[in-house]
Amino acid sequence: MDELAYYTLLLRTAQGLTLLGTLRFQVVSTEPLDRSPAGTEQLLAQAQQQSTTELFVYPMEGSINIPLLTGLAPVPLEGTAWFPLIGPFVTAFLSSTDQRFSVGMQLYELDPEHICGGLVWRSGESGELTFSLLGTLVRVPA
């Protein structure tokens, strides 16, 4: 099991709504999955036409807390992270496992201290919000 990553988040919509939150996640298996997440086969096919890069897909779990949207309780997340043979994840896809919340997100690592990506709150429902996000790694003392 990989160590738990903890990030503070800055989320912003195109209309300027800015919210703060926290994200925790970790890889939950040392063995890659044999299947790719739904909807990503076409993305891989396009990438392979340009050049060949081998990626390994690992299951992830975590939680997100955006107090103005989720209240005080964190929302549980599950998904996958795509890793090259050596190095940090290339991208990660996470979504809510709690039926009360519809959260989907995609993350990228900018550098060892920062992540970026997008988050959709209440996907496909009225009141859907789309955020860009920037996360900063929080170092927790041992």
Side-chain angles (χ1 to χ4, degrees):
M1 196 190 274
D2 200 13
E3 67 183 50
L4 182 68
Y6 177 68
Y7 290 87
T8 58
L9 299 178
L10 176 65
L11 300 114
R12 187 174 176 119
T13 66
Q15 295 77 26
L17 174 62
T18 302
L19 300 175
L20 301 175
T22 58
L23 173 68
R24 297 170 189 247
F25 63 85
Q26 65 185 1
V27 174
V28 293
S29 173
T30 57
E31 294 295 319
L33 299 173
D34 290 332
R35 57 180 171 73
S36 60
T40 57
E41 293 85 4
Q42 183 179 12
L43 178 65
L44 279 178
Q46 291 171 353
Q48 288 175 348
Q49 289 173 359
Q50 296 172 2
S51 65
T52 302
T53 303
E54 191 167 348
L55 295 176
F56 300 92
V57 181
Y58 289 88
M60 294 181 67
E61 64 182 23
S63 64
I64 191 166
N65 188 356
I66 308 165
L68 290 175
L69 295 178
T70 64
L72 296 177
V75 176
L77 301 170
E78 276 186 354
T80 56
W82 297 43
F83 288 85
L85 185 58
I86 298 174
F89 70 91
V90 174
T91 190
F93 302 92
L94 294 163
S95 59
S96 172
T97 60
D98 187 333
Q99 297 298 325
R100 296 173 298 153
F101 302 98
S102 178
V103 178
M105 59 192 313
Q106 184 172 4
L107 304 172
Y108 303 94
E109 186 173 82
L110 289 174
D111 60 42
E113 302 286 319
H114 300 95
I115 58 172
C116 66
L119 180 141
V120 177
W121 174 260
R122 295 191 177 184
S123 176
E125 298 177 25
S126 63
E128 175 180 288
L129 294 172
T130 302
F131 294 92
S132 59
L133 71 85
L134 178 62
T136 301
L137 183 66
V138 174
R139 300 271 182 211
V140 179

